[in-house]
Amino acid sequence: MKRKDCDKSAKCGYGLLLMALAGCLGHANEAWGGSITLYREAVVTGDEVRLSDVCQLRGCDTDESTVYGKVVVGESPIVGGSTIVTMAGVREALRQADVNLALITLQGATSCDVTRPRAEAPKEAVDETDKSPALRSQQARSLRQAIVEFFEQDLAEYGGQVHVQFGRTAEAVLDLRGPDFEFGIRRTSGKLIGLVGVDVSIRSAGRDVQVVPIMVNIGFSRQVVVTRRAINVGMTISPSDIALSSRTFSTTTDAGYGDVDAVVGQRAKRFISRGQVVEGGDLEPVPLVKRGQLVEVHSRVGGVVVVSAAKALEAGAYGDVVALRTSERGPSQFSAVVTGAGRVRLNGSEPMEAQLAMGGER
């Protein structure tokens, strides 16, 4: 092939590539009709400033957001430096990409101050020897780690392990880390788990740099009660009917029971197939403690769990608070929570409660 033909072929191929990108953007734009909001300040870590770095995109789905977000609006500043991206520059970059501006609302700041952080903080700025390992670890954590810790604390009451999946549009900021940056995380979605939105406030040198909206997919896994065999309607569940198994959940409503004692002795309200997670709606509450029954009383005294006996003065289902008596000779009554068949747990660790749990009187 001659050099002239080669150059012509290369130019033709490059032209086809630009046409394909323009067609992709144009097709996404026809179905969108959303808004693009320019931030006042933004942080970048790569060599190019893309639309997703400096703007918030609304009214588009994940695929459209990815296509628009990759539009280059300028070159990144040098490491440790800054540059300005104007609204006019954003409009021109979209026009060059053949985006139909008539279907898009451009709003927000007239210009965005874009900074590119240094790879690491100056060594003379901090003395790491004066800090505990826990504090150093917290200050050096990335935004990715901060978001995971946020949801781990948010779902701590459900136990188990939290799983966090990030979308591709958040990758530009997820590796930002302390001590150069500090993060504030706030939910913007009412859902507890599943597809959840958060606003992340990024601070540097004591001032607000940027607020980044991020969508994450939250799930969690934990040990829950499942059936070893099929359970028929009206059957009283025994220990041999159930077992603990690790399962992953996308909602908290179907998270089931984490304790077999909460299920043993209950009656099945509906048919439960083999291997199914036992949920609250599957069971018909029945008294696990009967009036006049001698029950086990569990109480924690310091670091020791003390087990004693007491007589139930009333019946109670799982989770009910019932009155008990430790002796027939005196008015030694107290209350405890039903935790299983013939079993209760004493709340708190007051000296008198501990004494009652150990068989004392008052």
Side-chain angles (χ1 to χ4, degrees), residues 104-359:
I104 299 175
T105 301
L106 295 176
Q107 58 190 20
T110 57
S111 64
C112 177
D113 184 9
V114 181
T115 58
R116 187 176 183 181
R118 296 183 184 276
E120 59 182 20
K123 296 184 182 301
E124 67 273 14
V126 291
D127 183 2
E128 296 294 332
T129 59
D130 294 337
K131 298 176 181 179
S132 67
L135 181 58
R136 290 199 301 269
S137 175
Q138 183 178 11
Q139 290 186 337
R141 68 178 179 169
S142 66
L143 175 56
R144 187 188 305 271
Q145 293 169 321
I147 293 176
V148 171
E149 291 174 7
F150 172 82
F151 283 103
E152 286 177 343
Q153 295 175 3
D154 208 26
L155 296 168
E157 63 179 289
Y158 297 97
Q161 182 178 2
V162 176
H163 307 280
V164 183
Q165 293 181 327
F166 296 91
R168 290 171 292 177
T169 56
E171 291 180 356
V173 294
L174 289 177
D175 290 330
L176 296 178
R177 64 179 60 244
D180 289 339
F181 297 96
E182 298 176 351
F183 313 112
I185 303 170
R186 179 180 64 86
R187 280 179 174 269
T188 58
S189 171
K191 297 175 63 176
L192 191 59
I193 60 177
L195 194 61
V196 180
V198 295
D199 275 349
V200 178
S201 302
I202 301 176
R203 292 177 58 84
S204 179
R207 65 186 182 93
D208 293 330
V209 174
Q210 183 179 358
V211 177
V212 182
I214 296 178
M215 296 299 295
V216 291
N217 198 358
I218 307 299
F220 74 100
S221 58
R222 70 167 185 169
Q223 293 278 322
V224 291
V225 177
V226 299
T227 54
R228 286 180 171 174
R229 61 188 182 88
I231 307 295
N232 291 318
V233 177
M235 178 183 294
T236 299
I237 298 177
S238 66
S240 61
D241 296 327
I242 56 177
L244 285 175
S245 177
S246 181
R247 298 293 173 90
T248 300
F249 301 94
S250 58
T251 66
T252 56
T253 56
D254 61 357
Y257 294 91
D259 185 2
V260 293
D261 289 334
V263 177
V264 173
Q266 306 275 34
R267 279 197 299 267
K269 188 163 59 176
R270 58 173 66 101
F271 176 79
I272 311 174
S273 59
R274 183 176 180 270
Q276 181 178 327
V277 176
V278 181
E279 302 175 10
D282 297 330
L283 304 178
E284 177 185 358
V286 296
L288 298 179
V289 169
K290 300 178 181 179
R291 178 182 174 87
Q293 180 182 1
L294 196 64
V295 299
E296 288 184 358
V297 181
H298 292 245
S299 178
R300 181 176 294 276
V301 181
V304 179
V305 176
V306 179
V307 180
S308 59
K311 186 175 183 180
L313 301 181
E314 55 187 336
Y318 180 82
D320 289 345
V321 178
V322 295
L324 302 103
R325 185 193 301 274
T326 58
S327 173
E328 297 288 351
R329 297 173 297 178
S332 51
Q333 294 186 19
F334 62 102
S335 298
V337 179
V338 178
T339 59
R343 181 180 300 176
V344 299
R345 183 186 70 248
L346 201 60
N347 286 331
S349 58
E350 295 297 323
M352 182 58 70
E353 291 178 327
Q355 180 184 0
L356 290 171
M358 297 174 69

Side-chain angles (χ1 to χ4, degrees), residues 6-24 96-98:
C6 181
D7 292 342
K8 183 183 296 184
S9 175
K11 290 180 180 178
C12 180
Y14 182 66
L16 290 174
L17 178 62
L18 288 178
M19 290 175 63
L21 176 61
C24 180
Q96 290 288 342
D98 288 337

